[in-house]
Amino acid sequence: MNATNFFSGNPDLVEVFDKAVSWDRIVRAVEGETADVTATVATWREVCDLAGRYIATEIAPRAAKVDEIGVIRDDGQIRMNEPMLENLRGLAELGLASPSVPPDYGGASLPFTVTMMIAEMLARADLATQVQHGIGWNSPAALIYRFGNDEQKARYLPRLAKGEIMGAVAMTEPQAGSDVGRLATTATQQGGDGCWILKGRKQFISAGQGDMVIVLARCVAGSTGLDGLGMFVADRERDNYVVERAEHKFTIRGSPTCALVFEGTRATALGNPGDGWKQILTFMNESRLGVGIQGIGVATAAFAKASDYAAQRVQMGKPIREHPMVAEMLLEMETTVAGARALAYEAAVLQDLVMFGRDQDAARDARELTPLVKWYGTEGAVRVCRLALQIHGGYGVVDEYDVGRFMRDSLITPIYEGTSQIQSLMAVKDLMKWTLRAPASLVRRGPSRILARASPGGRAGSDFAAARGHIQGSLRLLVARLLRRKGPALLRGAELSDEDLGPILLHAERLTESLAHTHVARVLAERARLIPERRRLAERAARTALLVTERNRRAIALDDGSVLERIAAWRSERS
Ligand SMILES: Cc1cc2nc3c(=O)[nH]c(=O)nc-3n(C[C@H](O)[C@H](O)[C@H](O)COP(=O)(O)OP(=O)(O)OC[C@H]3O[C@@H](n4cnc5c(N)ncnc54)[C@H](O)[C@@H]3O)c2cc1C
């Protein structure tokens, strides 16, 4: 990997672009059946190359300063620091402020897959800048483009696309984090001129220091949970809402994470009031993939640093990478980064086919892969950064070596946009639904359609098949426990309480880890078929999947019930 261009200097990313992505399907979905595929893809490749050069040579060198200075708190005003502003100005000058918006509104009309490649490179350079870019510009622009009326589009999109204003997306509240349905911010219609009044508080809002915010609020009186929500756009000018504070934090220090207060804030409805949850879900699928890809960016940075360091640091007469334990760490990092990237861009392509092509098959597959990309990309990043730090020995904790920053930044990724546990619940909920609908799948190739239809050959293929078998074995154990509780009514769609589901909820993250590794093994084995030099990488990933799925199956089989017993005791203390 070279550090002067994060696109052309990263052979794995280039391989994904040149050999793994089915661009013809994306171009036809985005630009229409008659589009010139070759010319369009060449343009998108040039954009990646241009962005890769700017990001590597301008943004990456400023990352340590962005982190050191952090957020500026100046007489009650919260601002981004100067190196961060320079990064953002540079991106805006390249026309990359809101790259997914169509040219009519000043954007570049890039598909999701290309936008994600730029996001990955930015996250590799500086995750804080990537967050400000992604959440401050691209996300509000995408939501307004998708759900806004003509007036809202004209008012916000050109300025977001030029980087003249910055926005934010506010869902989380002090009492409503993973459980979004507990949100209490209200929106009440005032008069007949389309004005709504917001009242409530939002917590942990990235880029919340900006000029406008999209707020998820309860707009149907008496509604509960995820019903009766709407999205609203509020301008900040004339203190329409208050940016109360930016949190002091050890991760993505340059990105202001703000508490916002709405007291009689004037806003307009974005899309259909009442459909807020359905609407924002479209954004959440993309941003969950985006956070998985953030993890890949940070992990790439950590892996590159550790590889260089291990090649030049000599201990006991040889470079440390020639000591087997260090070499194994480097190979694990390489497999994790390449595996996460392969899976993430497979999902990104599906997302493009869903968004632009309304492809229902792609929608089902994207739904299966999205929580796995988020889980594997972010948990993988934490693991890779931990290994990079270890490889640096004592120097790993010294600021100049950057790996400490990568470690700190990686730690936010399994938390925001739905924690790893929430991703696990999503992944396992679907898997159990498919299993109970078609229990015979447990004696065939399993309930996952994508895993079932894969049959890679060679050693990687046989380890992949064994890993898939362990997932089925794990599911059989869990379904057998449910059957013992509910009897045959289970297969006729009996209602299941949290207590019935206890073992599944307990082991959800184990199943998710098994699924993610097995999908990584699949996608790398499929790539190795096209590119024989990738065979060893695919074999390593498949061997890892086999070991992980076997361990998790045993952990489920050996569950001694103590966790659920303890929960029962805590529950009785409450009653
Ligand atoms: C730096 C930063 C930036 C952010 N940016 C934004 C933003 O721009 N916009 C926005 O709206 N929000 C944002 N967030 C909020 C973020 O999405 C939430 O912090 C996250 O969803 C978790 O919510 P919580 O912090 O309330 O944790 P909780 O929901 O209280 O979770 C605490 C712990 O309990 C676990 N847990 C909760 N429920 C379950 C369950 N059912 N099963 C198993 N485990 C469970 C969680 O996994 C976690 O480990 C940001 C947060 C941070 C820290």
Side-chain angles (χ1 to χ4, degrees), residues 160-178:
L160 283 168
K162 285 200 200 104
E164 289 170 359
I165 57 168
M166 186 165 263
V169 180
M171 288 186 285
T172 305
E173 298 184 5
Q175 77 297 345
S178 303

Side-chain angles (χ1 to χ4, degrees), residues 136 233 343:
V233 196
L343 191 64

Side-chain angles (χ1 to χ4, degrees), residues 295-315:
I296 296 165
V298 179
T300 302
F303 174 49
K305 277 270 170 186
S307 301
D308 290 349
Y309 187 79
Q312 50 85 13
R313 173 74 174 169
V314 174
Q315 290 291 283

Side-chain angles (χ1 to χ4, degrees), residues 169 171-172 177-178 204-206 257 412 415-417 419 421 425:
V169 180
M171 288 186 285
T172 305
S178 303
F204 294 143
I205 305 309
S206 298
T257 309
I412 186 57
I415 291 177
Y416 56 19
E417 278 311 327
T419 64
Q421 291 68 46
L425 293 180

